[in-house]
Amino acid sequence: MVKEGTTDGAWHGHGRDEVTITAVSTVVPALPVHEHRLPLSNLDLLLPPMDVGVVFFYADPGDRNHHPAAVLKVALAKTLVAYYPLAGEVVANAAGEPELLCSSRGVDVAEATADGTALRDLRLGLPDKSIDPLVPKKKAGVMSVQVTKFKCGGAVVGCTFDHRICDAYSFNMFLVAWAAAARGGSAPPAPSFHRSFLAPREPAPLSTASNLVDRLFVPLSRVPALPDTAAVNRIYRVSAADVAALQASAGSGRTKLEAFTAHLWQLYAKAAADTWRQPLSCCMGVVVDGRTRLRGNGNEDAMACVVSSGMGLPVGEVHFGWGRPAFASYHFPWPGGAGYVMPMPSARGDGDWVVYVHAAPEVVEVMEPEPTTVFRALEGSDIFG
């Protein structure tokens, strides 16, 4: 079901690169959902409110009757039946903690145009200018969508979701199901919302003064504010040859992600040494998939970075019926003080990586110098000719 809304013709961008919102509607699940609440897990409660964006670029399919937004909205209503939490909203419980109200509020879908721009003209390596206007600014609910058509006939599908409710792994599942519904294909396996998977261990582990859990979970009133630090965003291409060279230089038995993280750590350490007068520690964290581990003390003076593998991004499967994406990337300019780096597979399937980087300016300065860098600037012409 689609509820049509209104728009004031809002736009983003500057000059010929502007993106104009032409229509806004709200898509609710095709079948009614019994209203109920789902508490967030302890791990989810650690996260402050943060929205994550992801975009998929599609070349001109050559069909003048191509109306991607109409197809996407019908398929979205069907997919939200199984993925009904994405159609809900985050509310506060009696203790002031966030929890999910599964209310069939729906997903806001904006339709937009970029009549003055062709996809090949976008400077994809500078996402603040090229990607940000194509990612919807979520005003309510858990998720929002923006479909932007370009003068070249191509289109971009951008999504924003609340990271407290959904991580990249879960959202990738949703994207594949949504694309299958749009193509009229068979639905993939439905998601599981069984809370028993997150039940605490029995007996509970011994608690000590230095126990990590004791230091992580604190009352909401004691949660510190996120630091306001300068950062820039980039999207790079790392060639398959450079990925292989990094892995070889890291020694036998190292994965590509481990080798990439080690190289990135060296760059962060160099940036820290070049920037600060006094010795500064450099911390590197790697996000892991805790699903395989489920059963039926930081330094404020450190330059830090979190590496999260996006190699599971199902680029080739996000095919809504008008061809596979020519380019895709997550977009996550998070408010934390640490850097954030996510390597993803190239949509070409040629072994190249697309790497999203959110880092301090001094880090980017040591990442880009030629001729030794593996981080190559990405342009729209590299993708669309």
Side-chain angles (χ1 to χ4, degrees):
M1 179 179 177
V2 179
K3 302 176 183 178
E4 299 297 337
T6 60
T7 175
D8 56 2
W11 62 273
H12 309 280
H14 303 280
R16 68 186 185 92
D17 296 333
E18 72 178 35
V19 174
T20 304
I21 306 297
T22 58
V24 178
S25 55
T26 301
V27 178
V28 301
L31 297 176
V33 176
H34 173 67
E35 184 172 307
H36 61 285
R37 294 191 177 207
L38 289 175
L40 273 61
S41 71
N42 283 341
L43 291 177
D44 293 323
L45 289 174
L46 289 174
L47 290 174
M50 289 192 297
D51 289 337
V52 180
V54 61
V55 287
F56 297 88
F57 288 62
Y58 300 87
D60 180 10
D63 182 0
R64 292 187 177 182
N65 297 318
H66 177 51
H67 299 291
V71 174
L72 291 171
K73 288 191 286 187
V74 172
L76 180 58
K78 297 177 182 178
T79 310
L80 288 175
V81 174
Y83 288 84
Y84 62 87
L86 293 178
E89 53 191 324
V90 178
V91 298
N93 61 17
E97 296 176 335
E99 62 183 21
L100 180 62
L101 173 62
C102 300
S103 59
S104 292
R105 179 213 170 266
V107 173
D108 293 336
V109 179
E111 299 174 51
T113 60
D115 294 333
T117 310
L119 289 174
R120 70 177 311 277
D121 296 329
L122 294 177
R123 300 195 64 185
L124 298 176
L126 302 176
D128 290 343
K129 295 182 178 180
S130 61
I131 303 294
D132 199 71
L134 307 175
V135 178
K137 305 301 182 286
K138 185 171 66 64
K139 298 179 179 178
V142 172
M143 169 191 168
S144 60
V145 176
Q146 180 177 316
V147 186
T148 307
K149 293 197 69 174
F150 284 72
K151 73 173 184 179
C152 60
V156 175
V157 178
C159 303
T160 300
F161 60 91
D162 191 324
H163 198 4
R164 296 172 297 177
I165 305 302
C166 194
D167 63 1
Y169 184 101
S170 301
F171 201 73
N172 289 345
M173 292 177 57
F174 163 77
L175 289 169
V176 172
W178 186 17
R183 297 194 308 269
S186 57
S192 173
F193 301 115
H194 294 300
R195 313 299 289 177
S196 59
F197 286 123
L198 297 174
R201 286 180 291 174
E202 293 183 5
L206 294 177
S207 178
T208 66
S210 60
N211 192 308
L212 177 62
V213 174
D214 292 336
R215 290 186 284 120
L216 282 176
F217 297 103
V218 298
L220 286 174
S221 59
R222 291 173 50 196
V223 175
L226 292 173
D228 184 13
T229 55
V232 295
N233 301 297
R234 295 288 188 271
I235 295 179
Y236 299 107
R237 178 183 68 88
V238 180
S239 70
D242 283 334
V243 173
L246 288 176
Q247 186 178 22
S249 66
S252 62
R254 298 301 181 184
T255 67
K256 293 178 180 178
L257 183 63
E258 288 173 339
F260 173 82
T261 303
H263 177 66
L264 188 64
W265 197 346
Q266 291 176 331
L267 295 176
Y268 259 82
K270 184 179 187 305
D274 292 346
T275 303
W276 296 81
R277 296 179 180 178
Q278 297 180 350
L280 184 72
S281 61
C282 181
C283 301
M284 188 70 61
V286 179
V287 177
V288 299
D289 181 8
R291 288 167 178 77
T292 59
R293 296 164 173 81
L294 291 177
R295 291 187 300 172
N297 152 33
N299 186 338
E300 295 181 357
D301 295 324
M303 179 175 284
C305 177
V306 174
V307 179
S308 179
S309 173
M311 301 309 293
L313 181 64
V315 183
E317 297 180 71
V318 189
H319 173 11
F320 293 103
W322 50 80
R324 289 179 170 83
F327 172 78
S329 175
Y330 270 95
H331 180 58
F332 191 26
W334 71 349
Y340 184 87
V341 176
M342 175 179 276
M344 294 158 281
S346 166
R348 294 177 177 177
D350 55 5
D352 287 1
W353 285 7
V354 171
V355 180
Y356 176 82
V357 173
H358 173 80
E362 55 267 27
V363 175
V364 172
E365 288 179 4
V366 302
M367 294 177 70
E368 296 182 343
E370 298 284 359
T372 58
T373 183
V374 301
F375 297 96
R376 309 294 178 180
L378 191 61
E379 302 288 345
S381 56
D382 297 332
I383 308 296
F384 299 98

